[in-house]
């Protein structure tokens, strides 16, 4: 069979005329993810034929200066985009100077959008990307309302959608307030709350492996699964994001969103079909069923850490955790008593994201040294799915050896794996909400996180120091050892 080539994107339909406005276009997110994705999509002809990109920033730039600034600033962009491509991209680009300290400066945005549409007597779909820091999200929504940027036109069916970056709120209360405000101006199907892990190929593959193979579903429950581990380890320190990170910490930066989303994909029931709301109904059932923490369970089941040198790096005293490990349960019949262990942190030995599903040992094994089966989803890097099996070592005796059935993306497919932001931007342009987060999912996950932050303090959750480059605080090992287990991802 020939090696399949990854289908970067399958564009099944011609996209309607669209103007995408990015608020926060001079920030790191835009430089490192959004503009590189859009430039690449432009080169691959994945953008609508009639497309305008409005980049809103505080600085005084014209279009070319803005693009040069991005090329200069971007850590990931191949700077050598070529003059022809640059000129082509520039033709679609509009830079708009807007400053939140002076909201009046947004007055002209509506007129500018109309002027661009008028010569062609067309209405463009108007899409707004909230890529600023989160304290401006509510202000952007208010600005859109105040300056008439939410209106549809009568003769055409213009669509208005917004994409809101993370973090969506800082706790349940602020997430609810933001939801309430947005839902005052928009319907739920116009709001795209992003979690870029949902756009990763390997995360999308979780549902496929579970529900497209006969093999797993009968075993996917408390009778056969011993425990699940989700590890997101990062080698980098907080670097230039110190201000934001110190307010969030590992729990809010990673567990509330990316990790709980992956957990819900592992634990959810099969949706009746693939419509966005049915998928999200199933995920939210899991998030609502997570056993909330109490003071006592925090002490027994959660570990916080901070790498040595963090406070020096950010230039102030801080009790913020850069590492967190916890054990939780999903209070549903399928998962009764099955622990889910989650662990994430910065300044660890390497960057790796992995989910491992550990099956129970056989009640009785004919051979010596039977080990339990482990299904591992390597989310990144070296993307793969592995299934650990017992095999016989060739020879006269019967000696067992554990080896993996190994499906590696780089060996199975030619071509690059499409980056998460491209996938999600394309879905936003097309109006597909499947990989975006609904208001009730966000609120359910914050409710769970609040049960931790509302109950932890120096007594029941001391902040353990760990050496940068180590595996995190020793107490995290003990969390597993107490249950006679150990972390699988090293
Ligand atoms: C972001 C977090 O959401 O994801 C960062 O705020 C983290 O702290 C980043 O480094 C990791 O993303 P990825 O795609 O590189 O794993």
């Amino acid at each position: 069979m020939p090696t399949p080539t990854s289908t970067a994107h399958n564009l099944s339909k011609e996209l309607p005329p669209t103007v995408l406005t990015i608020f926060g276009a001079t920030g790191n997110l835009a430089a490192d993810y959004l503009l590189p994705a859009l430039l690449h999509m432009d080169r691959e002809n994945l953008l609508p034929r009639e497309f305008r990109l409005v980049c809103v920033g505080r600085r005084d730039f014209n279009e070319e200066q803005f693009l040069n600034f991005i090329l200069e600033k971007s850590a990931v962009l191949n700077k050598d985009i070529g003059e022809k491509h640059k000129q082509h991209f520039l033709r679609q680009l509009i830079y708009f100077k807007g400053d939140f300290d002076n909201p009046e400066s947004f007055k002209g945005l509506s007129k500018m959008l109309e002027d661009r549409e008028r010569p062609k007597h067309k209405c463009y779909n108007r899409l707004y990307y909230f890529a600023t820091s989160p304290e401006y999200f509510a202000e952007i929504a208010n600005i859109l309302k105040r300056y008439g940027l939410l209106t549809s036109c009568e003769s055409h069916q213009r669509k208005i959608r917004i994409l809101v970056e993370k973090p969506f709120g800082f706790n349940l209360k602020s997430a609810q307030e933001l939801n309430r405000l947005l839902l005052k101006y928009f319907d739920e199907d116009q709001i795209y709350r992003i979690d870029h892990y949902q756009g990763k190929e390997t995360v999308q593959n979780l549902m496929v492996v579970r529900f497209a193979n006969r093999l797993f579903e009968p075993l996917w429950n408390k009778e056969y699964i011993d425990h699940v581990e989700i590890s997101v380890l990062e080698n980098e320190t907080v670097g230039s994001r110190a201000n934001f990170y110190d307010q969030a910490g590992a729990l809010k930066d990673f567990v509330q969103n990316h990790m709980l989303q992956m957990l819900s994909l592992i634990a959810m029931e099969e949706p009746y079909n693939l419509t966005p709301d049915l998928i999200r109904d199933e995920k939210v059932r899991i998030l609502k069923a997570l056993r909330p923490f109490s003071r006592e369970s925090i002490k027994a089941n959660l570990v916080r850490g901070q790498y040595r040198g963090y406070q020096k790096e950010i230039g102030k005293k801080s009790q913020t955790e850069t590492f967190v490990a916890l054990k939780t349960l999903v209070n549903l019949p399928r998962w009764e008593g099955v622990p889910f262990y989650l662990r994430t942190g910065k300044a660890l030995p390497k960057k790796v994201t992995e989910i491992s599903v550990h099956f129970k040992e056989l009640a009785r094994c004919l051979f010596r040294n039977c080990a339990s089966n482990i299904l591992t989803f390597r989310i990144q890097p070296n993307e793969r799915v592995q299934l650990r099996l017992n095999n016989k070592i060739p020879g006269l005796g019967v000696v067992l050896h554990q080896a993996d059935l190994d499906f590696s993306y780089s060996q199975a497919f030619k071509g690059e794996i499409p980056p998460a932001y491209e996938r999600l931007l394309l879905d936003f342009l097309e109006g597909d909400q499947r990989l975006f987060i609904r208001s009730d999912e966000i609120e359910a996950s914050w409710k769970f996180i609040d049960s931790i932050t509302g109950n932890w303090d120096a007594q029941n959750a001391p902040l353990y120091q760990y050496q940068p480059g180590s595996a995190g605080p020793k107490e995290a090992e003990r969390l597993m050892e107490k249950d006679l287990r150990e972390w699988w991802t090293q």
Side-chain angles (χ1 to χ4, degrees):
M1 211 166 53
T3 314
T5 303
S6 61
T7 51
H9 294 299
N10 272 330
L11 266 195
S12 48
K13 50 183 180 230
E14 165 101 355
L15 292 170
T18 302
V19 55
L20 170 63
T21 302
I22 301 181
F23 292 93
T26 50
N28 290 347
L29 180 81
D32 287 341
Y33 292 100
L34 307 185
L35 269 300
L38 288 163
L39 273 153
H40 187 248
M41 289 163 79
D42 184 42
R43 206 172 42 213
E44 300 293 313
N45 289 324
L46 292 169
L47 296 176
R49 202 188 306 258
E50 291 189 54
F51 181 64
R52 296 279 176 274
L53 176 64
V54 179
C55 287
V56 181
R58 220 189 307 239
R59 302 173 196 225
D60 244 330
F61 280 143
N62 65 26
E63 282 70 24
E64 185 149 20
Q65 285 165 334
F66 168 73
L67 192 55
N68 287 339
F69 167 81
I70 291 290
L71 289 169
E72 201 48 46
K73 180 180 163 84
S74 175
V76 294
L77 199 60
N78 177 4
K79 317 261 146 110
D80 186 23
I81 66 169
E83 200 45 38
K84 206 165 145 206
H85 182 208
K86 194 171 161 185
Q87 290 309 324
H88 181 259
F89 194 72
L90 271 172
R91 282 199 288 280
Q92 306 168 81
L93 185 68
I94 300 157
Y95 183 80
F96 183 87
K97 185 171 175 238
D99 185 351
F100 294 110
D101 293 336
N102 171 22
E104 294 269 299
S105 58
F106 290 94
K107 235 176 175 171
L109 189 54
S110 172
K111 175 150 184 348
M112 188 271 283
L113 293 181
E114 274 163 24
D115 287 349
R116 298 286 165 157
E117 293 177 358
R118 194 165 300 127
K120 300 203 167 174
H121 305 288
K122 268 196 185 145
C123 264
Y124 282 46
N125 279 348
R126 290 185 177 178
L127 274 49
Y128 303 104
Y129 197 128
F130 296 18
T132 58
S133 56
E135 65 263 29
Y136 297 117
F137 292 167
E139 179 65 2
I140 297 172
N142 288 326
I143 283 172
L144 294 178
K145 169 75 182 153
R146 196 174 321 136
Y147 296 119
L149 289 154
L150 300 183
T151 47
S152 282
C153 79
E154 278 165 19
S155 40
H156 306 89
Q157 297 204 316
R158 172 194 287 155
K159 300 264 187 323
I160 289 168
R161 300 182 199 121
I162 59 167
L163 190 157
V164 188
E165 260 300 331
K166 81 176 252 288
F168 194 98
F170 301 98
N171 51 26
L172 176 60
K173 188 165 172 279
S174 54
Q176 283 171 329
E177 275 166 16
L178 186 55
N179 272 331
R180 258 197 303 275
L181 176 80
L182 297 181
L183 287 165
K184 208 163 80 182
Y185 301 147
F186 307 95
D187 293 332
E188 181 65 46
D189 65 5
Q190 294 178 285
I191 307 172
Y192 289 64
R193 299 174 195 77
I194 201 168
D195 179 318
H196 79 279
Y197 266 59
Q198 290 284 320
K200 291 187 189 280
E201 267 301 322
T202 40
V203 173
Q204 293 173 58
N205 195 34
L206 295 175
M207 274 181 65
V208 177
V209 170
R210 281 195 58 198
F211 301 128
N213 294 298
R214 184 76 178 86
L215 212 56
F216 298 115
E217 197 48 23
L219 308 180
W220 212 258
N221 57 54
K222 62 174 188 254
E223 303 302 333
Y224 296 95
I225 293 182
D226 179 73
H227 70 280
V228 175
E229 170 186 330
I230 305 180
S231 282
V232 182
L233 315 181
E234 294 191 289
N235 52 350
E236 293 196 347
T237 62
V238 292
S240 59
R241 294 174 72 235
N243 265 349
F244 159 74
Y245 193 87
D246 197 52
Q247 291 170 39
L251 186 75
K252 293 185 178 183
D253 184 44
F254 240 113
V255 179
Q256 180 268 329
N257 36 69
H258 310 320
M259 296 186 89
L260 292 187
Q261 280 294 319
M262 289 191 282
L263 186 158
S264 61
L265 290 167
I266 288 289
M268 70 195 263
E269 298 294 319
E270 181 172 338
Y272 176 63
N273 62 33
L274 291 176
T275 51
D277 269 336
L278 291 186
I279 296 174
R280 297 185 295 179
D281 286 347
E282 296 303 340
K283 285 198 288 159
V284 83
R285 267 189 83 223
I286 300 299
L287 296 169
K288 285 183 174 169
L290 291 173
R291 180 177 295 180
F293 274 87
S294 62
R295 281 191 62 75
E296 295 65 42
S297 60
I298 286 180
K299 193 163 188 180
N301 297 323
L302 187 140
V303 174
R304 304 170 75 209
Q306 188 188 76
Y307 61 83
R308 289 207 172 80
Y310 171 74
Q311 302 188 26
K312 195 161 174 224
E313 188 179 353
I314 67 164
K316 60 174 183 190
K317 290 215 168 312
S318 167
Q319 286 297 301
T320 299
E321 79 288 350
T322 59
F323 178 100
V324 66
L326 61 87
K327 169 177 149 185
T328 185
L329 295 167
V330 177
N331 282 333
L332 287 171
R334 185 197 275 256
W335 294 111
E336 204 185 313
V338 179
F340 285 73
Y341 297 93
L342 274 49
R343 177 180 55 152
T344 184
K346 300 226 181 248
L348 299 172
K350 58 182 174 192
K351 182 170 170 86
V352 49
T353 303
E354 200 167 82
I355 304 173
S356 49
V357 179
H358 299 250
F359 290 88
K360 288 190 171 166
E361 286 180 13
L362 287 171
R364 170 179 172 273
C365 181
L366 279 179
F367 310 99
R368 269 207 254 156
N369 296 334
C370 290
S372 57
N373 304 115
I374 301 168
L375 178 63
T376 305
F377 297 93
R378 170 62 81 92
I379 304 298
Q380 63 185 24
N382 304 324
E383 293 77 4
R384 60 206 322 120
V385 182
Q386 290 173 316
L387 180 60
R388 177 149 290 202
L389 297 177
N390 292 296
N391 291 284
K392 177 182 174 303
I393 299 181
L396 299 180
V398 181
V399 182
L400 299 201
H401 169 72
Q402 287 81 44
D404 291 323
L405 286 181
D406 187 5
F407 152 68
S408 138
Y409 278 62
S410 65
Q411 280 167 19
F413 305 121
K414 284 192 251 158
E416 282 181 10
I417 300 178
Y421 268 97
E422 279 185 39
R423 164 82 267 156
L424 295 170
L425 276 164
L426 192 69
D427 287 353
F428 184 44
L429 293 171
E430 286 184 331
D432 182 342
Q433 282 190 309
R434 223 171 310 175
L435 300 177
F436 291 85
I437 317 299
R438 209 169 55 187
S439 56
D440 52 352
E441 283 181 88
I442 290 269
E443 292 184 12
S445 58
W446 274 121
K447 194 166 178 200
F448 174 70
I449 296 296
D450 278 8
S451 78
I452 302 172
T453 53
N455 282 312
W456 69 5
D457 56 37
Q459 265 74 51
N460 65 351
L463 190 64
Y464 297 106
Q465 298 279 302
Y466 62 96
Q467 200 54 35
S470 73
K474 286 276 165 291
E475 287 69 15
E477 313 287 320
R478 270 174 232 134
L479 184 72
M480 280 285 200
E481 283 162 12
K482 275 194 306 197
D483 295 347
L484 304 179
R485 299 186 175 109
E486 55 185 33
W487 295 102
W488 175 250
T489 304
Q490 296 303 324

